[in-house]
Every structure is written in structure tokens, then in C-alpha cells.
Amino acid sequence: QVQLVESGGGLVQAGGSLRLSCLASGNIIRINAMGWYRQAPGKQRELVAVITSGGSTNYADSVKGRFTISRDHNKYTVYLQMNSLKPEDTAVYYCNVEALRYAWESLQNYWGQGTQVTVSS
């Protein structure tokens, strides 16, 4: 199994910053894309940012210019630096990775347990 542990969420005032981290562990041969999603109350889960194994990134329009995704290949860790936070960024943030556990398996998607980010106005 692959475990994802997120950290770094919390309460911050509008305009502030937070940095989320997600560490993947377990029987991992390779990780492809790593990403962050979020889900606000009453809304569907949405993509925030994703980074490929080659370092290409993609962001939701709502966070472009404010959030930065990065990864440490050696540590199987993905980060999300969130600056200029707005109340509408309030949500549970989930880490997602595409990982390969065994050579005979296909890539699988794994989710973290989520970390709450609350931005007060």
C-alpha cells in the first residue's frame, strides 16, 4: 500500500501564506504526477495544482500567480506554497499521487486524508 501524509494546513488571515506538504511512503517503485485538490463545503473536489515527474506544472486559474507546486523526488514529497490567500481558498486540501508499487501493476491513484485550510477575512 501507499500512504500519503499531509501537513501544513491551518487558520490564516486573508493575504497570508501557508505551505502544505505531502509525504508518500510504502512500497513505491516510481511516482508520476503529484497534485493537490481541494473541496469546499457543498462543492465538488477540484484540481488546484499538479506537477509531473518531469517538472511540468498545471494550475487552476483561480490560484495562478499565488500558489506554487514543487516536489522532492528523493523524498517522495510534494509541496504547495500558498501566498496571498483569500477566504475563497478555504477548503480541505487533498494530496494525490500516481504511484507504481510493483513492476507488474499499472499506475494507481492514491489520496491523502486531507488537511483543512481556513482563510479568515
Side-chain angles (χ1 to χ4, degrees):
Q1 191 57 278
V2 174
Q3 295 82 36
L4 302 180
V5 177
E6 299 131 332
S7 61
L11 173 64
V12 65
Q13 287 188 333
S17 299
L18 285 173
R19 188 191 194 210
L20 305 182
S21 300
C22 174
L23 170 65
S25 63
N27 190 63
I28 299 172
I29 293 177
R30 176 167 55 93
I31 292 181
N32 277 11
M34 306 182 82
W36 291 95
Y37 290 72
R38 67 186 181 187
Q39 187 167 18
K43 294 187 177 181
Q44 290 189 329
R45 191 173 297 189
E46 63 176 359
L47 173 68
V48 176
V50 63
I51 183 168
T52 68
S53 57
S56 298
T57 58
N58 189 36
Y59 295 92
D61 287 342
S62 59
V63 306
K64 283 180 181 177
R66 299 188 297 122
F67 291 9
T68 303
I69 189 170
S70 61
R71 63 189 285 175
D72 184 327
H73 292 273
N74 294 330
K75 297 181 180 179
Y76 287 153
T77 302
V78 62
Y79 306 96
L80 185 68
Q81 178 66 44
M82 305 185 293
N83 298 328
S84 302
L85 282 160
K86 304 175 181 179
E88 49 263 44
D89 295 318
T90 296
V92 178
Y93 284 69
Y94 296 90
C95 175
N96 173 268
V97 302
E98 289 181 327
L100 184 66
R101 295 187 304 165
Y102 303 103
W104 57 86
E105 279 191 348
S106 58
L107 285 165
Q108 303 288 332
N109 261 294
Y110 298 92
W111 292 92
Q113 80 285 356
T115 184
Q116 177 70 45
V117 171
T118 303
V119 184
S120 63
S121 57

